[in-house]
Amino acid sequence: MNVTDAWAGGPVLAPSLELGIPSAWNNGKSSGRLIGEIDLAATPPAVRLARGYVRELVGQHFGADRSELGDLELLTSEAMTNSVLHALPRREGTVGLAVLHLDRYVRVEVTDGGPAPERARPADEQLHGRGLTLMKALATDFGVHRGRNGTSTFWFGVGVREGWRLA
């Protein structure tokens, strides 16, 4: 998989969390058990709110404590930051966040209004762009789905850790 394509919105499908077929998508969402979803204003404070929402939701659903959810929180922050800073908001000015349970995985989906028009790159670009490295290192899988209405859903999955139980 070309990770640059995934973050930039290229079509990346992964059999482990995509179920290997486009029909796994239902209105921009993958199949699996929806644990929760929320719409957040497409502003920087949404990153903190999304991280806390995912932590609490997954912690309650699986009986996991905060110390076990660090990677999930970090990846949620990276995905939300990317949408808030580099994409257009959805029509309502929001970014959508959904959390699903697929077999032995937790999947987080961040839906925005699609890629923003090209802009000049900042001089300090070397300080940015570490999100893909983190996704590659910590996520079981990740990719992007483009909706018919122009939206982009960036998703990532992490394995359910041994000892987590359904609450």
Side-chain angles (χ1 to χ4, degrees):
M1 160 173 44
N2 183 340
V3 276
T4 305
D5 288 346
W7 203 267
V12 177
L13 299 177
S16 63
L17 299 179
E18 271 298 335
L19 305 178
I21 52 173
S23 63
W25 286 93
N26 181 13
N27 296 325
K29 300 285 186 220
S30 65
S31 60
R33 183 169 176 250
L34 180 67
I35 300 172
E37 60 185 338
I38 188 171
D39 290 335
L40 298 167
T43 61
V47 175
R48 179 183 51 80
L49 295 171
R51 188 175 52 240
Y53 178 77
V54 170
R55 177 185 60 241
E56 293 299 318
L57 196 63
V58 173
Q60 289 175 10
H61 185 75
F62 288 103
D65 65 33
R66 186 172 186 162
S67 67
E68 298 175 293
L69 300 171
D71 291 351
L72 188 62
E73 286 185 75
L74 178 60
L75 295 176
T76 299
S77 289
E78 291 297 328
M80 281 296 294
T81 298
N82 190 64
S83 283
V84 167
L85 295 181
H86 304 294
L88 297 171
R90 294 184 303 177
R91 229 180 262 152
E92 310 82 28
T94 63
V95 173
L97 178 69
V99 182
L100 298 99
H101 178 204
L102 291 111
D103 192 19
R104 296 170 303 181
Y105 301 95
V106 171
R107 177 172 159 144
V108 176
E109 299 178 346
V110 177
T111 303
D112 55 45
E118 286 295 318
R119 59 176 175 72
R121 302 238 180 231
D124 66 346
E125 175 126 334
Q126 66 275 12
L127 298 176
H128 303 288
R130 294 193 177 113
L132 278 177
T133 303
L134 289 171
M135 285 291 166
K136 189 174 183 181
L138 301 175
T140 303
D141 213 345
F142 62 96
V144 174
H145 172 75
R146 295 285 175 105
R148 290 187 183 126
N149 58 358
T151 60
S152 291
T153 299
F154 180 83
W155 59 266
F156 67 88
V158 295
V160 172
R161 303 228 195 286
E162 188 148 337
W164 288 10
R165 65 199 181 293
L166 290 175

